[in-house]
Amino acid sequence: MNILRVNLSNKEVKTEELSSDEAILGGRGFIANKLHKEVEPTTDPLYGNNKLIFAGGVFAGTQVTSSGRLSVGAKSPLTGGIKESNAGGTSADRLAELGYRALIIEGISEETSPLVLMLNNQSAKLVPDESLKDLGNYETAKKLKQENPNSGLITVGPAGEHGMLSACISNTDNDDTPSRVNGRGGLGAVMGIKGLKAIVIDDSKETKIQIEREEQYNQLAKDFSRLVANSESTANYRKYGTAALVKVTDGLGALPTKNFSRGSFEGSDNISGQTMYETITERGGEGTPSHSCMKTCVIRCSNVFPDENGKTLVAPLEYETIGLVGSNLGISSLDEIAKINWECNDIGIDTIEFGATMGVAMDEGLCEFGDFESVMDMLHEIRENTLLGRMVASGCNLLGKITGARRVPSVKGQGLPAYDPRAIKGLGVTYATSPMGADHTAGNTVRAPLEHNKKDGQVEASKNLQPFVAALDTLGMCMFLAPSIGKKRHFITDLINAKLGTEYSEKDLLELGRQVLNDERLFNEKAGITSSYDDLPAFFREEENPDSNSKFDIDKQELQKTFEF
Amino acid sequence: MNILRVNLSNKEVKTEELSSDEAILGGRGFIANKLHKEVEPTTDPLYGNNKLIFAGGVFAGTQVTSSGRLSVGAKSPLTGGIKESNAGGTSADRLAELGYRALIIEGISEETSPLVLMLNNQSAKLVPDESLKDLGNYETAKKLKQENPNSGLITVGPAGEHGMLSACISNTDNDDTPSRVNGRGGLGAVMGIKGLKAIVIDDSKETKIQIEREEQYNQLAKDFSRLVANSESTANYRKYGTAALVKVTDGLGALPTKNFSRGSFEGSDNISGQTMYETITERGGEGTPSHSCMKTCVIRCSNVFPDENGKTLVAPLEYETIGLVGSNLGISSLDEIAKINWECNDIGIDTIEFGATMGVAMDEGLCEFGDFESVMDMLHEIRENTLLGRMVASGCNLLGKITGARRVPSVKGQGLPAYDPRAIKGLGVTYATSPMGADHTAGNTVRAPLEHNKKDGQVEASKNLQPFVAALDTLGMCMFLAPSIGKKRHFITDLINAKLGTEYSEKDLLELGRQVLNDERLFNEKAGITSSYDDLPAFFREEENPDSNSKFDIDKQELQKTFEF
């Protein structure tokens, strides 16, 4: 596989071959490795010599289910530290089909028009396109798709172009909807400020992907698909999507409600996975409760949420968004949440960060909890690039500093996802310690056999999970595979070994994950994000969550044991 | 001497005796020592267990000229690191007359009314006073002075009460004007959020200050006063005040102009010390070009700036304010600068931070350079505690992040004072490395015999100055004494030894300064402000200052040598 280096300053495009040492490195691991080596940790994330990396995993483009996630990474303008954020969609598979494991975007364009990187199996070139300037993601995708019918797309919306700190990056899914989002850490701002509006990946003419032990690999991929397709967790994901979590977390007192002031929401029944399923199936039309974002995925946790006339309101509608712009804002209508979600997707901002920020805004009295119109007005401000809009799009940490709020749910400058860390303390440990800042995908302990609102065993649970998840993120594998895999982790190493002709063990896999975490932590330390920042906001220790009857009480020194591998 | 500990949570007031080891410790050194020992470096500066310390120096309350400065310190809400900011005025002298070297303010008041700490030689008590809520510093001082005619005052304005990150603390001067300002680092927010509006120091009944070798001390104090009173630098300060610097820095290309885009200002003649002197003397009335802020000061660099009818516009008008809200904003009228200054003083925000922030706002097109009315409108927003006002009062670093500005003049979150670091590179080294963030008082090399826009010798110059200045700040001595003292530093140690009956040498003095810097750096490191943050913003390295014909070009590794003592 190859690495494509694209320099936007001089428009130079270079292909490098992945060395055999690096053959297993993709996704998050590739990013940690390269940023660590190539980017000065103290550089300005937006105007310095930052690099933006897109990397799929070792299985991308092949038949292994749910393993075509695309990681994007850079020094984060939101956290100031290293950042990887991965998403589904078709991008990683398509890049692999052109022979690319990764793209490394360097420099800053001096063009006044936004650039589009056009990739096919013949060439890679940069084309300015004035017509895309300030265009929303949906319109951008529609336009580029008309011109390039056989292509997948990676795009930023106006928030990215304007360098807003919570801007995200969108990937088209199987239906060409630009809705699979590398959401966290403001990576869209890095892409936008560099002057890159879109990447068009035309894989209509594929390159053959090399598989060392092809027959064995194909059989393993089939067996693996069957295992995943038939698991109980998959059945649940397929029916209710990630929204199944609403009633789970509501029951645990872990559903962020009104700026994390409590963990159960009086309107939770209206926004549950059950309600979503019923609404979609009743309304019919374009709606579907189950849908796969990646070509090969058998989990199909995604959905299309329609309005009363069966027209798509947004696709997909996911748990994190429901938690952050729903219960966290006191909004109990799936239709309203879907509309907010569509706006965020189109403008290109992270729904988690936006929800966390609006939660602080409401708590500080800038508008009322439950006030849908105020939320839409704020999204309009962001779209129009006003000062107020920019402030809110700078994330909850900055808004908290400006308003003097006491209840600001962020770690290392990044807003908390939809799990209250007082109610699921193991995830609280992950939030506090992950090099990514508050990140629910970095080691979510919600399935660990623990009393989630007690402190026993939580550090250990996070410590065990974080390296494994870092390995999955390196392989481009969806974390929703984990419950299906259970203890059968040999599937992963068997697949790797058949693909690469190697002899990786399960222990090696964890070692790989640990190496990734170490690289990331080292980068952060050099950037000035030391272990001093490994903690939750004080209010989680001071205010009891009345629905989990708990405060966060794992002390700071104990948290540091998470990385004593 | 004593330390008074005041706990605002339970209103407990305790007196502790200063140990003999600590007898020399005052001001900045006292603060570094105590914060280092007593405050958790990662605590939330506003809502955590932060402590606010007021400390004078060893000469406070005695006849030693220009040595009654009051240091205020805490963990800074602006920089996130340790902070000391000192000011003239009468507070330190008056505290010493009551037997206090320092006040340590702990806890947070639960009263809804602001508290006033009433000090006299009999008692120390906390009194709530609803009538002072949201009152400007001038009105607060007037009211408290009427009720307590023989007292000095330490107050915060509405900006402090509302916890704004650039809020300052004001001290009354010899004329009872609340205009001697502990400006930097948002210490006013710490005081305001703790619920303390004012400290009233009634020293009408003095305590005798102990002096070990009294006769010798009095003679030394006289000789020292004569030395200072007759020096050339004092003559200059007395006539033109600090504003004498306008033409000096303009000539060097170091006068911040239009958001540090250049270093000479076309309107500099209109805002020079010469013009100020002439304006004051022509207008007469309440105006005076020379005025002392501390009881014993013979330098008298301060002034009262009158309007055309001889009524006071502001007192004093100082170089940093002229540079930051004058040339840096393209404003070339001393009257306009004086009006902005009065508003800042009354609201209680730092003029340096405000000027640096408005510079970024203007550069980003939020209003025009030179637009006085827009500046006054913004001050109105701050006074009214609007979201826009709060954003601007959060300092230039945050505004820069929100607007996505490339030219943001700040170090460790604190805006740059009125010297362009490309034109005076030694001060650039101090800005980059001081534990305080960008601070012109931490080691200003402008008088060092160097080519200021060249890099040779600058690190050495800052390295030599920083410990000496830290020692002066610990002794409560005004840095404007330094040029008068020149090589006669024995005056300082002689005075210390006569006062305390000790045998300090000049070497010990530097050692004391180094210890202060080490304590401060250690605190910062534990707070996560590591040496990674010891640098200037990239634009000073990338953009040439056209008036000094130079970029900042001292590399980061070289900067670290500043602390190789």
Side-chain angles (χ1 to χ4, degrees):
Chain A
M1 299 292 280
N2 293 323
I3 300 166
L4 186 74
R5 267 185 207 271
V6 179
N7 187 317
L8 299 175
S9 299
N10 59 17
K11 297 197 178 169
E12 216 173 78
V13 172
K14 274 193 303 193
T15 304
E16 294 166 17
E17 218 173 310
L18 206 64
S19 71
S20 61
D21 289 1
E22 296 176 322
I24 197 174
L25 271 192
R28 181 171 170 187
F30 182 91
I31 286 164
N33 181 286
K34 291 292 174 193
L35 286 179
H36 183 57
K37 283 182 192 154
E38 299 187 11
V39 170
E40 169 58 47
T42 55
T43 198
D44 180 331
L46 291 182
Y47 301 108
N49 295 316
N50 202 359
K51 298 190 182 184
L52 182 69
I53 302 178
F54 298 83
V58 67
F59 306 126
T62 75
Q63 290 305 313
V64 179
T65 184
S66 324
S67 298
R69 289 183 75 83
L70 181 78
S71 290
V72 186
K75 173 168 172 166
S76 163
L78 189 72
T79 70
I82 197 167
K83 174 57 63 182
E84 181 265 1
S85 179
N86 62 66
T90 64
S91 303
D93 284 331
R94 292 184 197 257
L95 286 172
E97 284 160 8
L98 299 185
Y100 297 126
R101 172 68 55 83
L103 314 177
I104 302 180
I105 312 293
E106 309 178 344
I108 295 186
S109 164
E110 285 173 11
E111 299 262 0
T112 53
S113 301
L115 292 177
V116 179
L117 176 62
M118 309 288 299
L119 303 178
N120 60 35
N121 75 336
Q122 298 289 317
S123 69
K125 62 180 178 194
L126 290 162
V127 182
D129 187 344
E130 182 63 21
S131 75
L132 299 178
K133 203 166 191 168
D134 289 350
L135 227 54
N137 274 312
Y138 291 108
E139 204 58 41
T140 301
K142 196 171 149 192
K143 193 161 187 304
L144 286 172
K145 195 71 196 178
Q146 276 165 354
E147 293 159 15
N148 309 277
N150 300 311
S151 301
L153 304 172
I154 305 174
T155 59
V156 289
E161 290 179 76
H162 299 143
M164 293 180 186
L165 303 186
S166 65
C168 62
I169 293 174
S170 298
N171 300 268
T172 46
D173 66 5
N174 278 332
D175 299 334
D176 300 326
T177 305
S179 59
R180 309 312 311 192
V181 179
N182 305 95
R184 315 286 348 249
L187 295 171
V190 180
M191 184 162 161
I193 290 294
K194 283 185 175 299
L196 187 62
K197 173 75 179 177
I199 302 173
V200 176
I201 315 165
D202 176 356
D203 61 337
S204 53
K205 289 179 185 149
E206 298 182 25
T207 305
K208 177 159 165 56
I209 292 172
Q210 195 179 337
I211 296 168
E212 292 299 326
R213 303 169 196 152
E214 195 156 1
E215 205 174 325
Q216 187 195 355
Y217 186 79
N218 291 340
Q219 187 57 50
L220 276 165
K222 261 184 221 163
D223 296 346
F224 186 57
S225 285
R226 202 170 304 124
L227 172 78
V228 174
N230 297 329
S231 81
E232 196 187 326
S233 84
T234 292
N236 200 29
Y237 277 128
R238 199 177 290 154
K239 186 161 183 187
Y240 299 125
T242 53
L245 277 163
V246 172
K247 292 309 288 180
V248 175
T249 55
D250 191 60
L252 290 168
L255 180 67
T257 300
K258 296 177 186 168
N259 192 31
F260 286 84
S261 64
R262 49 194 317 150
S264 299
F265 179 44
E266 68 270 18
S268 66
D269 283 338
N270 298 333
I271 59 172
S272 69
Q274 181 79 31
T275 301
M276 188 169 82
Y277 176 80
E278 285 164 7
T279 308
I280 294 173
T281 48
E282 272 169 27
R283 289 180 176 178
E286 294 170 4
T288 169
S290 181
H291 173 272
S292 67
C293 74
M294 290 183 270
K295 290 187 182 180
T296 58
C297 182
V298 298
I299 302 179
R300 302 172 58 83
C301 69
S302 182
N303 59 56
V304 176
F305 188 82
D307 66 13
E308 289 183 340
N309 304 314
K311 286 282 290 178
T312 303
L313 267 179
V314 79
L317 192 54
E318 302 262 19
Y319 171 69
E320 300 302 323
T321 303
I322 294 171
L324 267 304
V325 308
S327 53
N328 192 50
L329 304 188
I331 290 178
S332 56
S333 151
L334 285 174
D335 284 353
E336 289 180 358
I337 295 168
K339 285 173 192 165
I340 294 168
N341 197 351
W342 189 93
E343 279 294 320
C344 287
N345 288 357
D346 195 47
I347 297 167
I349 58 165
D350 177 19
T351 55
I352 297 179
E353 196 66 46
F354 178 67
T357 310
M358 287 305 296
V360 173
M362 288 173 170
D363 213 358
E364 291 297 301
L366 302 181
C367 50
E368 296 288 311
F369 282 111
D371 182 355
F372 168 69
E373 288 305 331
S374 287
V375 176
M376 293 301 278
D377 288 348
M378 190 58 79
L379 286 165
H380 184 71
E381 298 278 341
I382 296 173
R383 191 185 284 278
E384 294 298 314
N385 197 26
T386 67
L387 189 61
L388 178 64
R390 293 192 71 97
M391 179 171 55
V392 168
S394 296
C396 65
N397 186 49
L398 253 69
L399 187 69
K401 280 182 193 279
I402 288 166
T403 58
R406 294 184 76 157
R407 203 183 280 130
V408 182
S410 75
V411 178
K412 300 188 180 85
Q414 182 167 282
L416 258 65
Y419 310 83
D420 190 302
R422 291 165 294 197
I424 306 179
K425 290 184 180 172
L427 183 51
V429 175
T430 301
Y431 284 167
T433 59
S434 169
M436 295 296 139
D439 183 343
H440 64 293
T441 70
N444 192 339
T445 62
V446 69
R447 288 171 191 276
L450 292 167
E451 284 192 76
H452 293 298
N453 65 348
K454 300 281 188 302
K455 66 180 170 182
D456 300 335
Q458 305 294 353
V459 167
E460 199 62 20
S462 176
K463 178 179 170 177
N464 289 336
L465 260 176
Q466 288 198 56
F468 179 61
V469 171
L472 290 184
D473 289 345
T474 297
L475 300 168
M477 300 183 92
C478 180
M479 66 174 182
F480 296 163
L481 290 168
S484 300
I485 295 173
K487 289 187 174 162
K488 296 180 183 165
R489 292 189 181 178
H490 65 86
F491 260 114
I492 304 173
T493 45
D494 289 349
L495 280 162
I496 294 170
N497 293 331
K499 173 80 164 55
L500 300 177
T502 49
E503 298 298 335
Y504 283 100
S505 67
E506 287 176 46
K507 211 178 128 201
D508 294 334
L509 199 65
L510 285 182
E511 201 39 59
L512 175 68
R514 289 173 183 167
Q515 183 59 47
V516 173
L517 287 164
N518 284 339
D519 281 351
E520 291 172 344
R521 282 166 55 81
L522 203 56
F523 183 98
N524 276 0
E525 195 174 307
K526 288 181 187 166
I529 319 286
T530 64
S531 59
S532 296
Y533 295 92
D534 288 349
D535 202 1
L536 293 181
F539 83 88
F540 287 119
R541 297 182 180 278
E542 291 162 3
E543 293 179 14
E544 182 170 292
N545 174 340
D547 300 308
S548 66
N549 300 310
S550 52
K551 298 179 180 181
F552 191 77
D553 54 0
I554 300 169
D555 73 45
K556 225 184 139 174
Q557 272 188 305
E558 190 72 14
L559 290 175
Q560 282 306 307
K561 294 186 181 161
T562 315
F563 297 112
E564 285 176 6
F565 299 134
Chain B
M1 298 292 280
N2 293 323
I3 300 167
L4 185 74
R5 267 186 206 272
V6 179
N7 186 316
L8 299 175
S9 299
N10 60 17
K11 297 198 179 169
E12 215 174 79
V13 172
K14 274 192 304 192
T15 304
E16 294 166 17
E17 218 173 310
L18 205 66
S19 72
S20 61
D21 288 2
E22 296 176 322
I24 198 174
L25 272 192
R28 181 171 170 188
F30 182 92
I31 287 165
N33 182 286
K34 291 291 173 191
L35 288 179
H36 183 56
K37 284 182 193 155
E38 300 188 10
V39 171
E40 170 58 48
T42 55
T43 199
D44 180 329
L46 291 183
Y47 300 109
N49 295 317
N50 202 359
K51 298 190 182 184
L52 183 69
I53 302 178
F54 298 82
V58 66
F59 306 126
T62 75
Q63 290 306 312
V64 179
T65 184
S66 324
S67 297
R69 289 184 75 84
L70 182 78
S71 290
V72 185
K75 175 167 170 165
S76 163
L78 189 73
T79 69
I82 197 167
K83 174 56 64 182
E84 180 266 0
S85 180
N86 61 66
T90 64
S91 305
D93 284 331
R94 292 183 198 257
L95 286 172
E97 284 160 8
L98 299 184
Y100 297 126
R101 173 67 56 81
L103 313 178
I104 302 181
I105 313 293
E106 309 179 346
I108 294 187
S109 164
E110 286 172 11
E111 299 262 0
T112 53
S113 301
L115 293 177
V116 179
L117 176 62
M118 310 289 297
L119 303 176
N120 59 36
N121 75 334
Q122 299 288 316
S123 69
K125 61 181 182 196
L126 290 161
V127 182
D129 188 344
E130 182 64 21
S131 74
L132 298 179
K133 203 167 192 169
D134 290 350
L135 226 54
N137 275 312
Y138 291 108
E139 203 59 41
T140 302
K142 197 172 147 191
K143 193 160 184 307
L144 287 172
K145 197 69 198 180
Q146 276 165 354
E147 293 158 13
N148 308 276
N150 300 311
S151 302
L153 304 172
I154 304 175
T155 59
V156 290
E161 290 178 76
H162 299 143
M164 294 180 184
L165 304 185
S166 65
C168 61
I169 294 174
S170 297
N171 301 268
T172 47
D173 66 5
N174 279 331
D175 299 334
D176 300 324
T177 305
S179 58
R180 308 312 313 191
V181 179
N182 305 96
R184 313 289 346 250
L187 295 171
V190 180
M191 184 161 160
I193 291 294
K194 283 185 176 299
L196 187 62
K197 173 76 180 178
I199 302 173
V200 176
I201 315 165
D202 176 356
D203 62 336
S204 52
K205 288 180 186 148
E206 299 182 25
T207 304
K208 177 159 167 54
I209 292 171
Q210 194 177 338
I211 297 167
E212 293 298 326
R213 302 170 197 151
E214 194 157 2
E215 204 174 329
Q216 188 196 353
Y217 185 79
N218 290 340
Q219 187 58 48
L220 276 164
K222 262 185 221 164
D223 295 347
F224 186 56
S225 285
R226 201 170 305 122
L227 172 79
V228 175
N230 298 329
S231 82
E232 196 187 328
S233 84
T234 293
N236 200 29
Y237 278 127
R238 199 177 289 155
K239 185 162 183 186
Y240 299 124
T242 53
L245 276 163
V246 172
K247 292 309 290 181
V248 176
T249 55
D250 191 61
L252 288 167
L255 180 67
T257 301
K258 296 176 187 171
N259 192 32
F260 286 84
S261 63
R262 49 194 316 151
S264 299
F265 179 43
E266 69 270 19
S268 66
D269 283 338
N270 299 334
I271 59 172
S272 69
Q274 181 80 33
T275 301
M276 186 169 83
Y277 176 80
E278 285 164 8
T279 309
I280 294 174
T281 47
E282 272 170 28
R283 289 180 177 179
E286 294 169 4
T288 167
S290 181
H291 174 271
S292 66
C293 74
M294 290 183 271
K295 290 188 181 177
T296 59
C297 182
V298 298
I299 301 178
R300 303 174 55 86
C301 70
S302 181
N303 58 56
V304 177
F305 188 82
D307 67 12
E308 289 184 341
N309 304 315
K311 287 281 291 178
T312 302
L313 266 180
V314 79
L317 192 54
E318 302 262 21
Y319 171 69
E320 300 303 324
T321 303
I322 294 171
L324 267 305
V325 307
S327 53
N328 192 49
L329 304 187
I331 290 178
S332 56
S333 151
L334 285 174
D335 285 352
E336 289 179 357
I337 294 168
K339 286 172 191 165
I340 295 168
N341 196 350
W342 189 92
E343 279 294 322
C344 288
N345 287 357
D346 195 47
I347 297 167
I349 59 165
D350 178 19
T351 55
I352 296 179
E353 197 66 44
F354 178 67
T357 310
M358 288 304 298
V360 172
M362 288 174 170
D363 213 359
E364 291 297 301
L366 302 182
C367 50
E368 297 286 312
F369 282 110
D371 182 354
F372 168 69
E373 289 305 331
S374 287
V375 176
M376 293 300 278
D377 288 348
M378 189 58 79
L379 285 165
H380 184 71
E381 298 277 341
I382 296 173
R383 190 186 283 277
E384 294 297 314
N385 197 25
T386 67
L387 189 61
L388 178 64
R390 293 193 71 97
M391 179 171 54
V392 168
S394 297
C396 65
N397 186 49
L398 253 72
L399 187 71
K401 280 184 194 277
I402 289 166
T403 58
R406 294 184 75 159
R407 203 185 279 131
V408 182
S410 75
V411 178
K412 301 187 179 86
Q414 181 168 283
L416 259 63
Y419 310 82
D420 190 302
R422 293 165 293 199
I424 306 179
K425 290 184 180 171
L427 182 51
V429 175
T430 301
Y431 285 166
T433 59
S434 170
M436 296 295 139
D439 183 343
H440 63 292
T441 70
N444 191 339
T445 62
V446 69
R447 288 171 191 276
L450 293 166
E451 284 192 75
H452 293 298
N453 65 347
K454 299 284 189 299
K455 66 178 169 183
D456 300 336
Q458 305 293 355
V459 167
E460 199 62 21
S462 176
K463 178 180 170 176
N464 289 336
L465 260 177
Q466 288 198 56
F468 179 61
V469 171
L472 290 184
D473 289 345
T474 297
L475 300 168
M477 300 183 90
C478 179
M479 66 175 183
F480 296 163
L481 291 168
S484 299
I485 296 172
K487 291 189 173 160
K488 297 181 183 165
R489 292 188 182 178
H490 65 85
F491 260 114
I492 305 174
T493 46
D494 290 349
L495 279 163
I496 294 170
N497 293 332
K499 173 81 165 53
L500 300 176
T502 50
E503 298 298 333
Y504 283 101
S505 67
E506 287 177 45
K507 212 178 128 202
D508 295 333
L509 199 65
L510 285 181
E511 201 39 59
L512 175 68
R514 287 172 184 168
Q515 184 58 46
V516 172
L517 286 164
N518 284 340
D519 281 351
E520 290 172 345
R521 282 167 55 80
L522 203 56
F523 183 99
N524 276 0
E525 194 175 307
K526 289 182 186 164
I529 319 286
T530 64
S531 59
S532 295
Y533 295 91
D534 288 348
D535 202 1
L536 293 181
F539 84 89
F540 287 118
R541 295 181 180 280
E542 290 162 3
E543 293 179 14
E544 182 170 293
N545 173 340
D547 301 308
S548 65
N549 300 309
S550 53
K551 298 179 180 180
F552 191 77
D553 53 0
I554 299 169
D555 72 46
K556 223 183 139 172
Q557 274 188 304
E558 190 71 15
L559 289 176
Q560 282 305 308
K561 294 187 181 160
T562 314
F563 297 111
E564 286 176 5
F565 299 134

